[in-house]
Amino acid sequence: MADLRGNRYSRRHTTLSPDSRAYWDYTWHEMGYYDLPATIDHILHVTGTRRLHYIGFSQGTTVFFVMASSRPEYNEKISRMYALSAAVYAEHIRSPIIRWIADNINAIKYFLDTMGLWQVLPHKKAQYVLQRTFCPARKARNICVQLFELLFGPNPNGTDPLAQQVIAGHYPSGASSKQLQHFGQLNHCGCFQQFDYGRKGLNLAAYGSEHPPKYNLSAVTTPVVIFHSLNDWLIDPANVVRLSSELPNLVSMTVVEDPNFNHLDFMIAKRVRELVYDKILLDLNLL
């Protein structure tokens, strides 16, 4: 379970304070280029093994493909990668809330910067108390479940409200506004590329070119197994098909059998074990 920078459990930077702007000056690129390789190297060192398996969900897949394309030597350290709702291409967003955020992300980022808010979606104890009060697990169609449906896709009979409440104790857990803006840029450009600073001069200083470089997915030689769903309002099936066509070592691509399975259901669906997890475990046992 990778502990990437910025969440409530990972803020002990050696020199920067979480209250500073410099601390939050990152996107998921830095997570994939620095944090994930450091995590993998540490695991391999402690266990004494040469390779490991990787299971990623949503942004967990994004950071993997950043690493595997930008630091291709790490492909040799992963035996197989399991991508659940792979967040690489981000067009065709069906969630009205996320689509509005993506459409207005530059204005939102400017406003947050003006207010000195470089962190978004921080974890607050009061927030969890409110969720337990207004979104009791015994009520299947509580307010939180309805909000999640607008964000991730409706699956009223498939979502486990108890699992949703447990996760609410840890999520959201903090992220940088730049990280959010980077995802919005993927939606706008229809590509998988590094952060766009918006001005040619800034991009030239950062990358040596006027446009941000695209990630080279052909360098991802790790065997990849993909699971995706038809009712995912964040990652459209067409985006997953596009990704699969660009991976040189795709093992398989599986559609979750429940047609109502949404984005968040990879974590909180009642049947997620039989529909997804057991299939992964069976595959791991055969390797």
Side-chain angles (χ1 to χ4, degrees):
M1 302 291 288
D3 192 13
L4 302 175
R5 68 180 70 189
N7 73 78
R8 63 185 286 209
Y9 304 106
S10 185
R11 297 192 178 181
R12 295 174 61 187
H13 196 283
T14 56
T15 60
L16 298 176
S17 166
D19 295 327
S20 68
R21 181 172 188 171
Y23 179 93
W24 298 101
D25 186 22
Y26 67 85
T27 80
W28 36 261
H29 172 81
E30 284 74 17
M31 294 177 177
Y33 196 86
Y34 299 107
D35 303 355
L36 188 55
T39 301
I40 290 171
D41 287 340
H42 179 71
I43 293 171
L44 295 179
H45 173 72
V46 170
T47 61
T49 55
R50 292 180 54 251
R51 308 175 83 187
L52 51 80
H53 299 289
Y54 185 98
I55 303 172
F57 162 65
S58 195
Q59 185 180 257
T61 69
T62 315
V63 296
F64 174 86
F65 288 115
V66 168
M67 178 190 71
S69 60
S70 302
R71 304 185 67 175
E73 65 272 19
Y74 278 86
N75 285 284
E76 298 302 317
K77 300 183 181 185
I78 308 295
S79 296
R80 182 163 291 190
M81 189 275 188
Y82 297 85
L84 316 182
S85 188
V88 171
Y89 294 114
E91 302 162 279
H92 318 301
I93 293 174
R94 283 180 278 175
S95 165
I97 297 174
I98 302 300
R99 189 168 61 242
W100 182 87
I101 293 174
D103 288 343
N104 297 278
I105 190 59
N106 291 333
I108 293 172
K109 182 67 166 68
Y110 178 79
F111 171 77
L112 293 174
D113 286 350
T114 301
M115 300 297 293
L117 300 173
W118 305 294
Q119 179 190 189
V120 293
L121 304 174
H123 182 271
K124 301 289 185 182
K125 290 184 178 179
Q127 162 194 300
Y128 182 50
V129 172
L130 288 173
Q131 288 191 50
R132 287 182 64 87
T133 302
F134 293 103
C135 304
R138 65 180 180 275
K139 186 177 180 181
R141 295 282 294 157
N142 62 53
I143 296 172
C144 294
V145 170
Q146 293 181 54
L147 174 60
F148 280 8
E149 288 179 358
L150 285 174
L151 289 169
F152 306 115
N155 190 5
N157 298 318
T159 299
D160 186 340
L162 180 58
Q164 180 270 323
Q165 190 173 83
V166 170
I167 288 176
H170 307 271
Y171 177 87
S173 194
S176 75
S177 57
K178 187 177 179 182
Q179 179 181 344
L180 188 68
Q181 186 181 25
H182 199 173
F183 272 122
Q185 291 178 358
L186 297 191
N187 175 256
H188 294 167
C189 73
C191 58
F192 187 45
Q193 66 180 21
Q194 294 190 40
F195 186 82
D196 188 344
Y197 287 93
R199 285 183 285 179
K200 294 180 179 179
L202 294 177
N203 284 334
L204 196 62
Y207 308 120
S209 63
E210 295 181 348
H211 303 284
K214 292 181 171 57
Y215 295 105
N216 179 21
L217 291 172
S218 65
V220 182
T221 57
T222 299
V224 176
V225 174
I226 292 177
F227 287 85
H228 70 106
S229 58
L230 299 178
N231 192 39
D232 190 329
W233 280 20
L234 264 65
I235 306 301
D236 192 85
N239 294 333
V240 181
V241 171
R242 179 183 175 188
L243 168 64
S244 68
S245 70
E246 297 182 20
L247 295 175
N249 202 358
L250 178 70
V251 176
S252 64
M253 182 172 65
T254 301
V255 179
V256 178
E257 293 170 0
D258 181 356
N260 295 314
F261 203 88
N262 66 30
H263 186 78
L264 202 62
D265 280 338
F266 282 100
M267 289 197 296
I268 65 173
K270 296 175 183 177
R271 300 177 58 211
V272 66
R273 176 165 183 166
E274 65 177 279
L275 292 172
V276 181
Y277 299 165
D278 283 347
K279 297 180 188 299
I280 294 176
L281 291 172
L282 177 61
D283 191 65
L284 287 171
N285 287 330
L286 293 176
L287 294 177

